[in-house]
Amino acid sequence: MDQMMENDYPLLPEPSSDQDSKIFEDDGYLSTKSHNGLMTLTEPPMYAIDCEMCETAEGMELTRISVVDESFNVLYDTLVKPSNQIIDYKTKYSGITEDMLKNVTTTLANVQKRLINLFPSDAILLGHSLENDLRALKLYHQRVIDTSVIYPANTSSPFFKASLRGLAHKYLDKDIQNGKNGHCSVEDASACMELVQLKIENGPDFGAPPVEKEGLFERTSRNGKIVAMLDYSGILRKFCTGATHTVSCSSDEEIVSNAVQLMQGSEILWAHLHEAEMFLKENESTVDEEKEKRWKDVLQSVDNRIKEIHDAVPSQSLLLVLFGCGDLSPVRRLQRQREGNRTELKEAVKTAKKGVCFIKMTPEEITVGKEMTTLGQHSANKIIL
């Protein structure tokens, strides 16, 4: 679940008492059949899906959906008529033209109904950057395998993912997405299925880039330092290697409370506050005065939490407050565009990575504010991040 949040998947809200737990409707979203989580004697079936989209007056909308099974049989393949006026058919990438959709009557609602009936409750859905397909389909589904995640890009930036075309060429020795008439969703879905089957056959480390860099906590623990890390569980699992103590938290309030308690017994303490980034993520599509007002309230809340940590920092310590990431909504918007203008995406990432670093050393009470740069050596006995 944490990894789905991290990759911006549409997540099913918690149902209230008067809602059907199997089907939850919100702004046109529906849920596939719910899974009870119980183990069965048979392997759960896998289905690979791929969608093509066009740009309408209301954003990106579905124009084609293809589903293949584990034997590469095409179970469903249909064109879909968007509900809003089409601005750009994205033919170069989608292969969809105005003539192709002229007599199409299949709607998104028709597709949702068909897929909900097609997928059993234990189905595992496969895809590449599958969150985009599920958003286009307006479907909630909790059991997924994403080839853009299980085959990570060989880059230090979390914003860039390996392309399906590149993965197919490297691991399947196949050239896909080379047609002059755009992508073929059946071909892409089949490539995803084959990549997942290859991963299962060769084990979880297959396709993973070699680890060449030593992490912060690994370096510090190697030097005998006591390190505490407080964060959400998904981030802990990904980055906590080398930490002496890890504390899984579910809110910024819990992170601050634990940070204050653990300060005295830790030589390095890492506390990650999420309120600001969660606000931007949840409100990335809106720009209005109300959002600006709520954003100021969020920043005030973050400021109060930082002050609580600041006031608890013991003497002979170094406090670093890092605002190392700006608004990610332009980055996510560009990632959702299948054709992906890489130059524009790089610029958006560069802008988002700009931040501010505040440094305080006790007991000297020296505070410095500057644009994020590489930090030098400090003589403090304790470091709070």
Side-chain angles (χ1 to χ4, degrees):
M1 185 66 70
D2 294 302
Q3 196 167 55
M4 293 182 75
M5 291 180 62
E6 185 179 329
N7 285 278
D8 203 27
Y9 272 78
L11 297 176
L12 179 67
E14 291 293 332
S16 60
S17 57
D18 60 343
Q19 289 170 337
D20 188 331
S21 61
K22 293 183 179 180
I23 302 293
F24 183 94
E25 189 168 352
D26 177 28
D27 193 27
Y29 274 79
L30 294 175
S31 173
T32 54
K33 300 182 187 77
S34 61
H35 180 59
N36 57 21
L38 298 177
M39 298 294 290
T40 61
L41 296 178
T42 59
E43 291 289 334
M46 297 191 300
Y47 302 89
I49 68 174
D50 188 77
C51 296
E52 302 299 342
M53 281 83 87
C54 68
E55 184 178 356
T56 73
E58 296 298 320
M60 302 301 288
E61 292 193 45
L62 184 70
T63 54
R64 184 183 179 185
I65 164 70
S66 300
V67 182
V68 302
D69 65 13
E70 294 172 64
S71 298
F72 304 98
N73 299 310
V74 179
L75 302 182
Y76 188 45
D77 181 30
T78 185
L79 296 172
V80 186
K81 189 77 169 181
S83 58
N84 295 288
Q85 179 183 358
I86 297 175
I87 297 174
D88 186 349
Y89 285 86
K90 302 290 183 182
T91 305
K92 179 180 177 181
Y93 305 99
S94 69
I96 306 299
T97 65
E98 182 178 1
D99 286 341
M100 291 172 66
L101 295 182
K102 186 173 296 184
N103 297 317
V104 173
T105 59
T106 302
T107 65
L108 175 61
N110 299 143
V111 172
Q112 290 176 317
K113 182 177 179 180
R114 178 66 182 274
L115 294 181
I116 289 172
N117 290 330
L118 176 63
F119 299 141
S121 62
D122 61 344
I124 299 175
L125 298 189
L126 281 51
H128 190 81
S129 292
L130 185 57
E131 74 278 7
N132 297 323
D133 299 295
L134 292 177
R135 289 186 180 279
L137 292 165
K138 290 194 172 183
L139 279 181
Y140 298 116
H141 189 85
Q142 305 304 308
R143 293 161 64 84
V144 302
I145 300 178
D146 194 324
T147 49
S148 73
V149 175
I150 64 173
Y151 287 92
N154 191 15
T155 172
S156 59
S157 173
F159 301 112
F160 292 100
K161 295 180 177 180
S163 68
L164 180 60
R165 179 182 180 182
L167 293 177
H169 179 76
K170 181 176 182 179
Y171 296 107
L172 305 178
D173 195 26
K174 290 183 177 181
D175 290 323
I176 66 172
Q177 302 178 350
N178 285 329
K180 295 181 180 180
N181 298 320
H183 298 180
C184 173
S185 51
V186 171
E187 180 183 57
D188 288 357
S190 298
C192 287
M193 178 63 73
E194 195 169 354
L195 283 166
V196 171
Q197 291 176 343
L198 188 65
K199 184 85 168 185
I200 293 173
E201 179 182 345
N202 289 277
D205 294 331
F206 179 77
V211 179
E212 299 176 352
K213 297 180 180 179
E214 186 176 33
L216 169 66
F217 301 142
E218 293 172 303
R219 172 69 62 86
T220 52
S221 64
R222 183 162 55 82
N223 286 278
K225 301 295 183 181
I226 299 175
V227 181
M229 183 178 182
L230 302 91
D231 213 322
Y232 291 179
S233 59
I235 297 177
L236 285 178
R237 286 195 297 269
K238 192 171 183 179
F239 297 108
C240 73
T241 303
T244 312
H245 306 293
T246 58
V247 181
S248 177
C249 303
S250 58
S251 68
D252 283 8
E253 182 179 11
E254 191 177 352
I255 289 172
V256 171
S257 175
N258 281 296
V260 170
Q261 295 179 33
L262 285 171
M263 257 181 221
Q264 297 293 340
S266 305
E267 292 172 282
I268 296 178
L269 185 142
W270 172 283
H272 182 186
L273 303 180
H274 293 263
E275 186 175 2
E277 67 181 88
M278 293 302 293
F279 175 86
L280 290 173
K281 183 175 181 180
E282 293 168 0
N283 297 273
E284 65 181 63
S285 61
T286 60
V287 180
D288 52 37
E289 292 184 4
E290 179 61 26
K291 177 182 177 180
E292 290 298 322
K293 181 180 181 300
R294 288 185 290 128
W295 174 237
K296 290 180 181 179
D297 292 338
V298 168
L299 291 179
Q300 183 62 58
S301 174
V302 173
D303 187 65
N304 292 338
R305 297 192 196 283
I306 292 173
K307 183 179 185 303
E308 187 175 348
I309 294 175
H310 172 277
D311 293 346
V313 173
S315 61
Q316 300 290 313
S317 298
L318 169 67
L319 171 67
L320 304 180
V321 180
L322 310 176
F323 292 89
C325 191
D327 186 359
L328 293 178
S329 56
V331 176
R332 293 196 178 96
R333 175 179 58 79
L334 290 167
Q335 286 178 326
R336 287 175 185 155
Q337 295 177 3
R338 279 298 182 92
E339 63 273 23
N341 187 325
R342 200 166 182 84
T343 300
E344 189 177 354
L345 178 59
K346 285 183 177 179
E347 287 301 314
V349 170
K350 184 177 179 181
T351 299
K353 289 173 71 174
K354 289 183 179 178
V356 177
C357 170
F358 295 94
I359 306 173
K360 175 183 176 181
M361 297 183 67
T362 58
E364 290 82 0
E365 300 295 336
I366 298 176
T367 304
V368 180
K370 63 177 181 177
E371 189 168 334
M372 184 79 73
T373 59
T374 303
L375 301 178
Q377 298 296 318
H378 301 278
S379 58
N381 294 329
K382 193 183 296 283
I383 298 177
I384 315 295
L385 298 175

